[in-house]
Amino acid sequence: MNTPFKTLRFLPALLLLLTISLPAFAQSLSVASIISDHMMLQRNTTCPIWGKAKPYQNITVTIDDQTHTTTTNINGKWRINLKPISTKGPFTLTITSPDQTLTITDVITGEVWLGSGQSNMEWSVRSSNNAEQEQANAQYPDIRIFTVKHQANHSDEILDPNGQWESVTPKSIEHFSAVAYFFGRKIHQELNTPVGLIDSSWGGTPAQSWTPIHALRQNSKLNRYVKTYDQKRTDWAARIKDFNANQERYQQIQKTLSNAPDNQGAAKGYHTSDFNDSDWETTNLPVKYAEINSTPDINGVLWVRTSVELPSQLQNKQLTLNLGVIDDYDLTYVNGQIVGQIGKENSRASGTNRKYTIPASVNNKPTLTIAVRVVDTLRTGGFKSGGHNFYLTNDSDKIRIDKNDWKYKFAFIYTKETPGRLDRDIRLSISGLYNGMIQPLIPYAIKGVLWYQGESNNNGHTTYEPLLTSLITSWREAWDQPINKDFPFLIVQLPNYREPSKKVEQHSWAHLREAQRLTHAKLPNTGLATIIDIGDTKNIHPRNKQDVGLRLAYWALAETYNKPITPAGPLFTHQTINKDNSITLHFKYADGIKPLSGDKLSGFFISSNGRSFAPATAIINPDNTITVSHPSILNPKVVAYGFASNPEKMNLNLTNDSNIPASPFLSSN
């Protein structure tokens, strides 16, 4: 027999259940930010639309002539799949629950590509070659761009990508991925179709951060990445939570670090001629932060000031002030007026010489007061050039100012990481960026992926091939697209970099490049954009991103869109060791194989043991193979082509009718 007391026994549990369920019942209809105004849907394929609402609500989605209905689950989640749409639009996408309607406008269809990787994928149009003209010409209403927010994640929650769709304009393209943009522009022009580009990249990050943990665990060769994952994950998650909770404070700090004329120091008069700096410390230039402050890994805002008694021939004249290289940013005043500044808008700020003009109208006193507000955001900050780089001049007369008494004061300091930026070990954490920047995009329908990464894995080149293979395979499995299941994955091979070499080098950069080639050779529907000819000896970020985008586009046009073009230079496939002490090399894309310059091939080396290599003679055969030999190398085993960090001095010249250089290779692989 039921009694009131038996019923009451269940009240606490019932109340607890209601309490736990309240947030779910309270949540309103929502979708991920990638499902928003100006979005681009992948044409001619099934396109998932998903979101959240109250549990067990009916959801209706309409677009064009389609209507789909579904019911949310116990957690309020829902998903429908739009049928393939072949027409461009624009369309209005309407999502309705019993108590709310979302209307998403200016939706069009086209070819949607995801660009990911590290800094060379993230590298902006603004910082690339011919930036001013490229931005001015960027008027493409049918190229839509979306940038995923930098975020790592180690919680069980799936984050929002935190971006917005925009059409390409001079303003919107300024900070967008240059490689993705130049790729997309070429596809748009060649196919005469809209193109959508999603940039999910972060500088300085390794491939293991972009790979889901379950994929890493499935490959025993990748054990080094997972053995401490479980014990570190809890700490990573807690620190990310703390970081997110402190965003308001971080934003205030970022404002403090900006080059704003209304900065706190200027408000106190630090830049003016009559400011009393008698209680400031004194130094000479050049000086670095660590030399005048004992705080380890110090960063922040440093003010330095000096006064210069001008000889009569320099008074009331236009002068030039040279301060050498400053790390990172500066705001420079003379007699209380700003005469120059370099801020974060200059991607090479920390390596740029400061040379500013002082107008005669500012140089209006016998004593010149110079004040410099220096901002350092990471690592070593301060004045980096030698003493002879600090001077005032009118071209005929020069006054050195390095030995002046420079008064200094730290207005704001912090250590190690930039406030508002996740700690480096979290940015590099295993699977953190997959969880934070890739998973939030799934299952948004895409045509394929552009991947420019590897620099941060060059010291782990021995595991890069299985790592990249696991990354590609796991992404394809996660998207699980019914059409285009094994979507194209186009890899940018590392460029030439560091000191040019004339000989074969067992350099990590060369081995990483080889791992990229092998991944492409073994994994179907991948491409390899070789850029061994357009790197920068001294800069890991070559500014020629136009050709990188074009070479990726050639792969897509040839292999994805079936255009009659050759996507790449010759790609080595296998070798035949001959009885006459020569090796014959076989290639994919061998039609029209030729030297790009001259009448003989160069850049080939041959070895009998894989360690000592001799420059080889390379002859093109009628069947478009190449036979390589050297008179002193008997029983040869392996040929190397362009195998060095920077094979620039090897005069690599193997190409085909595309005139794109052949990929470097080691034939023993």
Side-chain angles (χ1 to χ4, degrees), residues 232-291:
K232 288 183 176 180
R233 183 191 176 198
T234 302
D235 174 63
W236 289 333
R239 288 161 61 197
I240 292 171
K241 184 177 180 180
D242 178 70
F243 169 83
N244 291 333
N246 283 283
Q247 280 305 297
E248 186 175 341
R249 180 172 65 88
Y250 291 147
Q251 289 169 11
Q252 186 59 44
I253 292 172
Q254 288 297 330
K255 185 178 180 181
T256 301
L257 294 174
S258 71
N259 256 9
D262 61 348
N263 61 79
Q264 294 176 5
K268 296 176 181 178
Y270 290 176
H271 62 309
T272 60
S273 300
D274 56 358
F275 177 76
N276 182 2
D277 57 18
S278 60
D279 61 342
W280 288 22
E281 300 290 332
T282 304
T283 188
N284 301 127
L285 299 185
V287 68
K288 295 178 180 177
Y289 281 33
E291 295 170 346

Side-chain angles (χ1 to χ4, degrees), residues 1-10:
M1 176 180 177
N2 287 331
T3 68
F5 297 102
K6 286 185 177 180
T7 304
L8 287 171
R9 282 190 311 169
F10 297 100

Side-chain angles (χ1 to χ4, degrees), residues 38-40 88 108-111 137-146 165-169 172-173 176 180-189 193-198:
H38 317 300
M39 67 186 286
M40 185 171 295
K88 170 188 168 182
I108 62 175
T109 69
E111 298 299 295
N137 294 338
Q139 295 281 5
Y140 294 99
D142 282 350
I143 301 180
R144 306 287 173 90
I145 56 176
F146 184 99
W165 284 100
E166 299 177 279
S167 293
V168 165
T169 65
S172 68
I173 204 62
F176 191 73
Y181 169 61
F182 294 131
F183 165 87
R185 185 176 68 182
K186 182 66 173 176
I187 299 299
H188 174 62
Q189 292 168 340
T193 188
V195 173
L197 301 167
I198 302 167

Side-chain angles (χ1 to χ4, degrees), residues 106-394:
D106 189 30
V107 179
I108 62 175
T109 69
E111 298 299 295
V112 180
W113 288 80
L114 166 63
S116 189
Q118 56 183 106
S119 54
N120 275 308
M121 178 59 76
E122 188 180 10
W123 198 258
S124 67
V125 171
R126 183 186 70 176
S127 299
S128 301
N129 281 352
N130 202 22
E132 186 175 344
Q133 184 176 343
E134 293 287 11
Q135 287 179 231
N137 294 338
Q139 295 281 5
Y140 294 99
D142 282 350
I143 301 180
R144 306 287 173 90
I145 56 176
F146 184 99
T147 301
V148 178
K149 177 185 175 182
H150 286 168
Q151 52 189 11
N153 184 29
H154 289 284
S155 71
D156 294 328
E157 177 188 4
I158 296 177
L159 305 182
D160 187 88
N162 285 299
Q164 63 181 33
W165 284 100
E166 299 177 279
S167 293
V168 165
T169 65
K171 183 178 179 181
S172 68
I173 204 62
E174 181 179 7
H175 298 286
F176 191 73
S177 163
V179 169
Y181 169 61
F182 294 131
F183 165 87
R185 185 176 68 182
K186 182 66 173 176
I187 299 299
H188 174 62
Q189 292 168 340
E190 292 294 324
L191 300 184
N192 193 29
T193 188
V195 173
L197 301 167
I198 302 167
D199 175 23
S200 183
S201 56
W202 199 342
T205 56
Q208 59 269 24
S209 296
W210 297 97
T211 309
I213 187 62
H214 72 266
L216 296 171
R217 283 177 168 149
Q218 288 170 358
N219 191 328
S220 60
K221 294 179 181 178
L222 305 177
N223 284 341
R224 59 181 289 195
Y225 299 120
V226 301
K227 57 186 178 181
T228 61
Y229 174 80
D230 289 326
Q231 66 189 64
K232 288 183 176 180
R233 183 191 176 198
T234 302
D235 174 63
W236 289 333
R239 288 161 61 197
I240 292 171
K241 184 177 180 180
D242 178 70
F243 169 83
N244 291 333
N246 283 283
Q247 280 305 297
E248 186 175 341
R249 180 172 65 88
Y250 291 147
Q251 289 169 11
Q252 186 59 44
I253 292 172
Q254 288 297 330
K255 185 178 180 181
T256 301
L257 294 174
S258 71
N259 256 9
D262 61 348
N263 61 79
Q264 294 176 5
K268 296 176 181 178
Y270 290 176
H271 62 309
T272 60
S273 300
D274 56 358
F275 177 76
N276 182 2
D277 57 18
S278 60
D279 61 342
W280 288 22
E281 300 290 332
T282 304
T283 188
N284 301 127
L285 299 185
V287 68
K288 295 178 180 177
Y289 281 33
E291 295 170 346
I292 51 176
N293 193 300
S294 59
T295 306
D297 302 312
I298 183 175
N299 305 283
V301 178
L302 169 68
W303 279 85
V304 297
R305 294 168 42 91
T306 195
S307 296
V308 183
E309 298 291 335
L310 294 177
S312 58
Q313 68 268 27
L314 295 185
Q315 295 177 18
N316 300 302
K317 302 267 184 19
Q318 177 176 296
L319 301 179
T320 297
L321 170 63
N322 204 87
L323 295 170
V325 174
I326 297 175
D327 187 352
D328 291 307
Y329 314 129
D330 75 292
L331 191 57
T332 297
Y333 303 81
V334 172
N335 288 350
Q337 303 296 314
I338 297 174
V339 296
Q341 62 176 304
I342 291 181
K344 61 182 180 181
E345 73 284 347
N346 186 328
S347 61
R348 296 187 175 184
S350 60
T352 300
N353 183 71
R354 270 52 169 192
K355 192 172 187 177
Y356 299 136
T357 298
I358 304 173
S361 59
V362 173
N363 179 21
N364 55 9
K365 300 176 182 178
T367 301
L368 212 61
T369 301
I370 302 169
V372 185
R373 180 183 185 265
V374 181
V375 174
D376 177 56
T377 61
L378 194 64
R379 303 188 186 96
T380 304
F383 297 85
K384 297 166 66 175
S385 300
H388 64 280
N389 290 284
F390 300 88
Y391 59 83
L392 288 162
T393 182
N394 64 354

